[in-house]
Amino acid sequence: TWNGQNVVELSDPKLKDKLEYCMGDGKSLVIVGVEDEIDPMLDPVLEKEITKKGSRLYVSVSDKMMDYDPNFKLYFITRLPNPSFSPELQAKTTLINFTVTQKGLEEQLLGKVISKEQKALEEQLTQVLEEVNSNTKSLMLLDASLLERLTSNTGDLLDDEELVTVLANTKAKAAEVNAKLVAADETRSSIAEKREQFRPAATRGSVLYFSIVEMSLVNVMYQTSLTQFLELFTGSMDAAPAATLASKRVSNIIETMTYMTYRYVNRGLYEKDKLTFVLL
């Protein structure tokens, strides 16, 4: 088990027994080590070929009727970066891709750069986003409250003094909330403009990471995790020379990061592959 979940390798000879146990007890089963194909034994489960006898549910797996609990969940995990699952398998399952993208990593690295270089700026952005969410919810609640008042009123709307008062209060609060939203939007734009000064460092970091990842296509032994790279990225910011101007500081980070990444990766490459990495 892992984190309270039942985990089994697809090649495990006891897969059938673990499937029967989890399916009968309504537990989750996580199958790891999946390649491009799934064991045909699991087809009746994926296709939900459930039969009912009396008050009990069953699924026939490899000619054996197994108890089925509706709470049962089945997960498959593959480490393949670009698996080519068949259309039939994709139709039976929900595919979720957790692979990091170049743009997504760039945004993540930008957040790390800002947290390191302009911590107050990042905290201010977080606070502004929280205020925007809070004010947006307040506006929605005001609209819902007013709508409920209007729909529950049975007489002449103009004669209902309480409703008129509520309407006036709602209008004033709505105007106040809208003003706060406009001010927050202006603040967010100002913060975004300052954050963009450090984007080149994040962009370079993202490009370097994917260049390292592509080396695994040259030789499967060249594997570097995102966690390793993030440590390298953070270390390059610590090692880069300080500068008063943001543009100069960014330039220093990029230069230091590029050199440290090259030295880190280069020592793990075969001699014949070193020039290939430089060209990437």
Side-chain angles (χ1 to χ4, degrees):
T1 61
W2 173 78
N3 199 24
Q5 304 299 322
N6 295 283
V7 181
V8 61
E9 288 276 349
L10 185 62
S11 57
D12 193 324
K14 294 184 178 180
L15 172 61
K16 183 178 177 181
D17 295 333
K18 293 181 179 180
L19 174 66
E20 182 177 13
Y21 164 71
C22 292
M23 195 161 59
D25 283 12
K27 299 180 180 296
S28 297
L29 178 63
V30 181
I31 299 179
V32 299
V34 175
E35 299 294 331
D36 290 330
E37 296 182 355
I38 301 295
D39 191 330
M41 175 188 74
L42 299 171
D43 284 345
V45 181
L46 295 177
E47 294 173 4
K48 296 184 179 179
E49 296 177 356
I50 303 169
T51 56
K52 187 174 183 180
K53 291 184 179 180
S55 60
R56 302 177 67 178
L57 301 175
Y58 299 91
V59 174
S60 178
V61 179
S62 297
D63 298 326
K64 181 179 182 180
M65 297 299 289
M66 297 183 181
D67 286 317
Y68 177 82
D69 189 305
N71 293 319
F72 168 70
K73 290 181 174 58
L74 182 61
Y75 301 92
F76 298 99
I77 296 178
T78 179
R79 289 188 175 275
L80 296 177
N82 189 24
S84 54
F85 297 131
S86 66
E88 292 79 14
L89 179 58
Q90 293 189 43
K92 300 172 189 174
T93 57
T94 300
L95 186 63
I96 303 177
N97 187 357
F98 289 101
T99 305
V100 65
T101 63
Q102 189 162 334
K103 189 65 179 175
L105 179 58
E106 182 181 316
E107 292 298 328
Q108 184 179 345
L109 295 180
L110 179 59
K112 288 187 173 295
V113 174
I114 298 299
S115 296
K116 178 75 174 177
E117 302 297 319
Q118 299 282 338
K119 190 174 182 180
L121 197 64
E122 192 70 7
E123 291 175 349
Q124 186 182 0
L125 177 61
T126 302
Q127 183 181 351
V128 167
L129 292 176
E130 289 176 354
E131 289 177 356
V132 167
N133 290 335
S134 176
N135 288 326
T136 302
K137 288 180 181 178
S138 297
L139 197 57
M140 293 174 65
L141 289 173
L142 287 173
D143 290 341
S145 175
L146 180 59
L147 182 61
E148 184 181 357
R149 284 274 186 176
L150 290 172
T151 53
S152 62
N153 188 282
T154 54
D156 191 339
L157 296 179
L158 297 177
D159 292 338
D160 191 337
E161 294 183 2
E162 185 179 352
L163 178 60
V164 173
T165 303
V166 170
L167 181 59
N169 291 336
T170 302
K171 184 178 179 181
K173 289 180 180 179
E176 181 184 346
V177 170
N178 279 320
K180 288 181 179 179
L181 288 173
V182 171
D185 192 51
E186 292 175 354
T187 304
R188 186 164 53 176
S189 298
S190 175
I191 294 173
E193 187 177 340
K194 294 177 182 177
R195 291 175 90 244
E196 287 301 309
Q197 296 177 345
F198 294 90
R199 183 171 292 277
T203 303
R204 174 59 67 90
S206 183
V207 170
L208 286 173
Y209 173 73
F210 280 93
S211 297
I212 297 171
V213 170
E214 287 182 359
M215 286 303 296
S216 64
L217 301 176
V218 177
N219 191 312
V220 72
M221 292 178 62
Y222 301 152
Q223 300 287 339
T224 301
S225 70
L226 180 58
T227 302
Q228 286 176 300
F229 179 76
L230 291 177
E231 290 178 359
L232 193 64
F233 183 81
T234 304
S236 67
M237 287 191 288
D238 293 334
T244 305
L245 292 175
S247 57
K248 179 60 178 175
R249 173 62 176 161
V250 169
S251 178
N252 291 343
I253 292 175
I254 290 175
E255 185 176 341
T256 304
M257 183 201 320
T258 304
Y259 177 74
M260 289 180 63
T261 302
Y262 168 74
R263 294 291 298 169
Y264 178 81
V265 177
N266 191 61
R267 67 186 181 187
L269 302 179
Y270 289 121
E271 197 66 36
K272 63 185 179 67
D273 295 328
K274 290 181 178 180
L275 182 59
T276 303
F277 178 65
V278 172
L279 293 175
L280 286 175

